[in-house]
Amino acid sequence: MQQNQRSSSSGSSQSPRSPQSQPFLSVSVSDPVKLGNGVQAYISYRVFTKTNLPDYQGPEKIVIRRYNDFVWLRDRLFERYKGIFIPPLPEKSAVEKFRFSAEFIEMRRQGLDLFVNRIASHPELRLSDDLRLFLQADEETMERVRAQDLGIFKKPSDLMQIFKDMQSKVSDVVLGKEKPVEESTPEYEKMKRYIFELEEHLGEAQKHACRLVKRHRELGQSLSDFGKAVKLLGACEGDSLGKAFAELGTKSEELSIKLQAEAHHLLMNFEEPLKDYVRAVQSIKATIAERATAFKQHCELSETVKLKEINLDKLMLTRSDKYGDAEAEYRELKAESEEATRRFETIVRLMNEEMVRFQEQKTADMGVAFHEFAKGQAHLANSIAGAWRGLLPKLEACSS
């Protein structure tokens, strides 16, 4: 989630392996490096782990990971932890020329750091064998595991399509376009409505935050161009007017730098957190789709068991020689139905817990993001006002 989760450490100042220390798992993603050339080029990251958890090899570990390794971890957790909201990954750049820009690489590094620390701070996901492998295995082992899993799990691109299909399916259900076997409890309906409305409102807020970033950059560039032009104009004038114009040009260029810096601050600390929560909501929608599938399986198997019971009673009354085989089939089906019911109930319980955790974290993260926005805007406005105010006496002297 945002800055309060940049490094998940509960008691990380205590000495590792100390019996008095609280369990902690702290992870940082840093030092992005471009490797390879052309279409084979990619960015590697240094993943540094500090922990006192007994299942880990030692108190500290450094491994090198690439984006596909993070995708592997996300996909494994999604397959294994039904009902838990798996944290979203930062998106890939859709535009080739931006893939290796410094700004995009830093945004992705920040997003990957956030992703892995959300997992490391989650009470269940942090105990995952897959996370432990991700944080400790050498690069060759990690690559081999990923290659093996391509035969078991869907490719990352296929999984992303599955997520989109799930989201579309849930959207159709919510909007009344499709009428499958579905839960209809007030609590479940309320949760779905909340998630879909939240996605819409977050998307709108993120879109306008993007426009604010663009506006700051454009104004900064305009002030820079204006400053250069005014300096050239001042060079053609006399001493007092020329000096005033030169100072006006210099101030314009200084303010241009401040505007560009604030645009970057807005991007990293306001627009990106909003975009990240849009992705988080999409992850929740994928879990909702999983819950819908589990409910459908639970209902269909329960109905099939009832039909088998009726058939079994008929066979028993007619003393059919098929009764023994039918009874064995019934028992197997009933066990499968009971397992489907347990699976569905587990997803419901976990989702209820996850919603509480999600809303608490969202409140904290959005508070930080909007505070950063307001603080940055106030500081920028003061800087701009102070710069222009300082020039007024000199410009007034020239005009008089």
Side-chain angles (χ1 to χ4, degrees), residues 268-330:
M268 303 302 290
N269 298 286
F270 188 56
E271 183 191 349
E272 272 301 304
L274 288 171
K275 189 184 293 185
D276 176 71
Y277 264 92
V278 171
R279 293 191 291 263
V281 169
Q282 291 169 350
S283 178
I284 294 174
K285 286 170 66 179
T287 307
I288 290 175
E290 288 286 308
R291 174 170 170 167
T293 300
F295 180 77
K296 183 178 180 182
Q297 291 172 347
H298 152 70
C299 291
E300 289 177 346
L301 283 170
S302 296
E303 190 64 30
T304 305
V305 166
K306 289 177 184 177
L307 294 174
K308 289 290 184 182
E309 284 178 350
I310 295 171
N311 184 56
L312 199 63
D313 290 341
K314 289 179 181 178
L315 292 174
M316 185 173 64
L317 290 172
T318 59
R319 300 181 183 276
S320 171
D321 55 0
K322 296 179 180 179
Y323 179 81
D325 291 339
E327 184 183 29
E329 185 181 347
Y330 166 76

Side-chain angles (χ1 to χ4, degrees), residues 99-115:
R99 278 182 64 206
F100 300 112
S101 69
E103 186 173 79
F104 175 76
I105 290 172
E106 173 55 21
M107 280 195 300
R108 174 176 280 187
R109 184 210 62 77
Q110 181 174 294
L112 293 175
D113 185 272
L114 183 56
F115 164 77

Side-chain angles (χ1 to χ4, degrees), residues 125-249:
L125 298 180
R126 74 194 306 236
L127 304 177
S128 157
D129 292 340
D130 298 314
L131 175 63
R132 193 161 61 249
L133 175 67
F134 174 84
L135 295 176
Q136 295 188 120
D138 58 52
E139 290 87 276
E140 290 183 3
T141 301
M142 192 74 240
E143 186 174 356
R144 186 168 63 250
V145 169
R146 278 198 294 110
Q148 290 171 348
D149 282 353
L150 285 177
I152 302 172
F153 298 102
K154 298 285 185 180
K155 293 182 295 183
S157 58
D158 293 338
L159 269 174
M160 288 308 298
Q161 187 59 48
I162 289 173
F163 288 156
K164 291 176 182 177
D165 293 342
M166 286 177 174
Q167 291 161 17
S168 176
K169 180 180 177 182
V170 176
S171 298
D172 290 345
V173 170
V174 172
L175 297 174
K177 297 179 182 177
E178 186 180 342
K179 299 291 183 183
V181 178
E182 173 134 356
E183 285 182 85
S184 58
T185 62
E187 295 81 5
Y188 182 56
E189 293 297 326
K190 181 180 178 181
M191 181 192 69
K192 285 195 300 184
R193 291 287 177 187
Y194 166 74
I195 289 300
F196 276 79
E197 290 176 5
L198 180 62
E199 181 182 34
E200 180 183 354
H201 299 323
L202 280 170
E204 277 295 303
Q206 186 268 321
K207 181 175 69 176
H208 292 294
C210 180
R211 289 176 180 172
L212 279 171
V213 172
K214 184 179 179 182
R215 180 185 173 193
H216 279 63
R217 284 178 168 163
E218 289 174 346
L219 182 56
Q221 185 59 52
S222 295
L223 273 173
S224 177
D225 295 340
F226 173 72
K228 291 181 176 68
V230 170
K231 279 184 173 180
L232 292 172
L233 180 61
C236 301
E237 300 294 338
D239 290 343
S240 60
L241 187 59
K243 186 176 180 183
F245 279 6
E247 289 190 35
L248 177 60

